[in-house]
Amino acid sequence: MLYVREDSAGITKNMVREVNLKEFRKDFKSKANPKTAQALQRFFKTRKGEYGYGDIFYGIKVPETRKTAKDYQNLSFSDVQQLLKSKIHEERLAVLLILIYKFEKGDIKEKQKIFNLYLKNTKYINNWDLVDLSAPRIIGKYLSDKPKSVLYKLAKSKNLWEKRIAIISTYWFIKNNQLGDTFKISAILLNDKHDLIHKAVGWMLREAGKKSIIEEEIFLKKYYKKMPRTMLRYAIEKFPEKKRRMYLFGNI
């Protein structure tokens, strides 16, 4: 949010209005929609025994969340840390968007601070939309020119969301024609039992294939018989029908 003032020389300047957590929460909650919240509770599997158990929704749609995050992107770092631990799903989504804005504008020190904060709070980045929105643009982008060992550690975690962070972070690498880590982490996750990991790995393999179908097929020919069907179907979704059937029915 900007306001305008004149300095002592009469020069007009744009100034960033200060914002705080209390103001953010009051503004954000005013946008709540109980009917939408009920639908989102079902969509994101929040019942007991489901992957999103216990998550609470206001019922705020993503475009509105993005707008609010942009308006409050200058929240202090301490407010951001507190907001990341919110019980409200959309508040955590908003703060991840704020962290992305801060990351994109920050210097090297600020980027490292955000990267470290993210990794220390993965238990709050605990649904697929939160991971998919933020992991490539924070973790992937930060590691693009650095060692990737942390991703391999996450890929071997017992936590569903840390494993998804590991593979989805490589989306940033894929966009920049760095495909090796996607294939290596996909191999680590081949035997994972969760459908959300199958979908994530298949999706990243498909995206890698858009950059190099040859490299994707080298991977698939080695592993397609071992891959969960959902993972395979996602990976070959853009293949010609004849080739898709060959992979699905083991005729490669």
Side-chain angles (χ1 to χ4, degrees):
M1 293 181 178
L2 298 177
Y3 67 91
V4 176
R5 72 172 177 85
E6 289 187 352
D7 65 11
S8 58
I11 299 173
T12 300
K13 292 184 177 181
N14 287 329
M15 303 295 292
V16 177
R17 184 174 69 80
E18 291 186 3
V19 293
N20 59 60
L21 184 57
K22 183 178 180 180
E23 181 184 356
F24 168 88
R25 283 188 154 145
K26 181 180 178 180
D27 187 5
F28 201 50
K29 191 174 183 179
S30 71
K31 299 174 172 63
N33 184 318
K35 185 175 181 180
T36 302
Q38 289 183 357
L40 291 173
Q41 297 276 164
R42 293 191 296 272
F43 182 73
F44 283 100
K45 309 293 184 184
T46 62
R47 292 182 299 184
K48 189 173 182 178
E50 296 180 322
Y51 61 75
Y53 174 62
D55 216 349
I56 300 171
F57 286 79
Y58 275 157
I60 303 172
K61 294 183 179 180
V62 173
E64 189 64 44
T65 300
R66 286 185 181 276
K67 181 180 182 300
T68 306
K70 189 171 184 179
D71 288 343
Y72 287 87
Q73 62 185 284
N74 294 301
L75 276 175
S76 70
F77 205 75
S78 60
D79 282 348
V80 164
Q81 287 178 297
Q82 186 175 341
L83 194 57
L84 189 56
K85 299 175 182 179
S86 172
K87 294 180 180 180
I88 307 302
H89 184 99
E90 293 98 333
E91 286 193 345
R92 299 199 307 283
L93 180 63
V95 78
L96 288 168
L97 285 164
I98 290 170
L99 283 172
I100 290 169
Y101 293 136
K102 288 182 178 295
F103 187 91
E104 290 174 348
K105 296 179 179 179
D107 56 19
I108 294 173
K109 187 176 180 180
E110 180 82 354
K111 285 178 167 61
Q112 184 176 24
K113 187 177 182 180
I114 293 168
F115 172 81
N116 289 336
L117 174 70
Y118 192 104
L119 290 180
K120 288 178 181 177
N121 289 278
T122 53
K123 66 180 178 180
Y124 304 110
I125 306 168
N126 58 353
N127 218 310
W128 58 265
D129 63 322
L130 305 180
V131 172
D132 296 359
L133 169 92
S134 61
R137 295 176 68 183
I138 295 178
I139 302 302
K141 189 172 184 178
Y142 182 81
L143 293 175
S144 60
D145 59 350
K146 299 176 181 65
K148 313 295 192 293
S149 57
V150 65
L151 294 184
Y152 292 85
K153 182 179 180 181
L154 291 172
K156 295 174 183 178
S157 170
K158 293 181 180 180
N159 181 279
L160 165 64
W161 306 114
E162 290 189 345
K163 288 184 283 189
R164 189 163 176 118
I165 288 168
I167 186 62
I168 297 297
S169 292
T170 71
Y171 196 16
W172 187 267
F173 310 156
I174 293 169
K175 289 182 177 180
N176 291 278
N177 297 304
Q178 302 169 2
L179 308 182
D181 293 293
T182 299
F183 295 123
K184 290 175 184 176
I185 293 172
S186 294
I188 292 172
L189 296 173
L190 275 178
N191 296 316
D192 195 87
K193 303 299 182 183
H194 205 288
D195 184 64
L196 287 176
I197 298 300
H198 302 169
K199 291 176 179 178
V201 172
W203 173 25
M204 291 302 101
L205 289 173
R206 184 180 73 224
E207 294 304 312
K210 292 178 182 178
K211 297 292 186 178
S212 175
I213 189 64
I214 293 173
E215 291 183 63
E216 184 189 5
E217 287 212 68
I218 289 172
F219 181 91
L220 289 175
K221 287 174 181 177
K222 184 176 181 180
Y223 293 116
Y224 80 96
K225 290 184 178 179
K226 304 176 184 178
M227 293 170 68
R229 297 296 278 183
T230 297
M231 187 185 295
L232 178 60
R233 286 182 181 277
Y234 270 60
I236 63 175
E237 184 178 9
K238 300 299 182 181
F239 284 15
E241 179 62 23
K242 182 178 180 180
K243 183 173 283 190
R244 286 184 69 255
R245 293 178 65 83
M246 289 171 68
Y247 275 104
L248 288 171
F249 295 105
N251 295 322
I252 296 297

